[in-house]
């Protein structure tokens, strides 16, 4: 039995992210399922963000110096 599915970009991204976050099956014979699915739908794109900067506070009035 052969199935063909069509997904929107958002649906495909949702599937890719869910697959990456899903736990690997415990049963050893099913461990290849995740990699087979990954081969079919791909991995989600990596999004690189600037790291958040830490705010600076003046805590000298509390006796804390940096």
């Amino acid at each position: 039995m052969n199935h063909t599915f069509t997904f929107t970009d958002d649906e495909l991204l949702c599937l890719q992210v869910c697959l990456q976050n899903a736990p690997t099956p415990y049963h050893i014979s099913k461990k290849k399922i995740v990699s087979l699915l990954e081969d079919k739908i791909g991995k989600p794109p990596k999004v690189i963000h600037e790291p958040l900067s830490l705010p600076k506070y003046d805590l000298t009035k509390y006796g804390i110096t940096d």
Side-chain angles (χ1 to χ4, degrees), residues 6-44:
T6 304
F7 300 108
T8 66
D9 289 343
D10 287 339
E11 292 170 334
L12 181 59
L13 181 60
C14 180
L15 288 171
Q16 291 169 330
V17 170
C18 289
L19 182 62
Q20 289 296 304
N21 292 323
T24 303
Y26 178 74
H27 197 278
I28 194 73
S29 68
K30 299 194 184 288
K31 288 193 181 275
K32 291 183 180 177
I33 291 175
V34 175
S35 63
L36 292 174
L37 285 170
E38 232 172 44
D39 291 342
K40 287 182 181 181
I41 67 171
K43 290 186 178 186

Side-chain angles (χ1 to χ4, degrees), residues 13 17 44-50:
L13 181 60
V17 170
K46 291 189 178 194
V47 180
I48 300 173
H49 296 281
E50 288 286 324

